[in-house]
Amino acid sequence: SDIGISGRIPSASEQATGKEKTEHDAMMAGNNDPFDMTFHEGPWGTAANPRLVPSHFDERILGCVCEPDATQIIYMNIKKGDPQQCDCGHWWKLVEAKKAM
């Protein structure tokens, strides 16, 4: 038969498609966080200078650790456009993310 690979199970790179293939190819090229999902620490965001949050979409779920010793994460849905403020006062702005590859 001309369909598939005969006699063995295809590897991850041979069978991956779409976002999975994008992720797999980026990781094989050395980018272990192709969708920018790691925890980021940095300066407090203000209305005039909000923390920039990259996204490949028009909105993203964001987890804000409001205080250094917080025992919970405040989740909110931020959307492209004007900066948005967490209940703790921290400001965020969604921006276009660069391509993974």
Side-chain angles (χ1 to χ4, degrees), residues 52-65:
L52 301 179
V53 179
S55 180
H56 295 280
F57 303 99
D58 291 337
E59 57 187 72
R60 182 172 177 171
I61 296 173
L62 173 89
C64 183
V65 180

Side-chain angles (χ1 to χ4, degrees), residues 35-38 40 51-57 59-62 78 80 92-98:
F35 299 119
D36 195 25
M37 300 288 288
T38 58
H40 296 280
R51 290 286 306 273
L52 301 179
V53 179
S55 180
H56 295 280
F57 303 99
E59 57 187 72
R60 182 172 177 171
I61 296 173
L62 173 89
I78 62 172
K80 282 189 180 173
W92 307 92
K93 181 175 174 73
L94 199 68
V95 296
E96 184 72 27
K98 60 184 176 205

Side-chain angles (χ1 to χ4, degrees), residues 12-83:
S13 63
E14 292 170 328
Q15 66 182 344
T17 61
K19 294 274 187 201
E20 181 181 7
K21 180 156 181 56
T22 299
E23 179 181 27
H24 180 270
D25 291 348
M27 292 180 92
M28 294 306 294
N31 180 357
N32 290 326
D33 187 24
F35 299 119
D36 195 25
M37 300 288 288
T38 58
F39 180 81
H40 296 280
E41 292 184 68
W44 189 266
T46 64
N49 189 25
R51 290 286 306 273
L52 301 179
V53 179
S55 180
H56 295 280
F57 303 99
D58 291 337
E59 57 187 72
R60 182 172 177 171
I61 296 173
L62 173 89
C64 183
V65 180
C66 298
E67 301 171 14
D69 59 347
T71 58
Q72 65 183 15
I73 300 171
I74 305 300
Y75 288 96
M76 56 193 202
N77 190 35
I78 62 172
K79 298 180 180 185
K80 282 189 180 173
D82 294 331

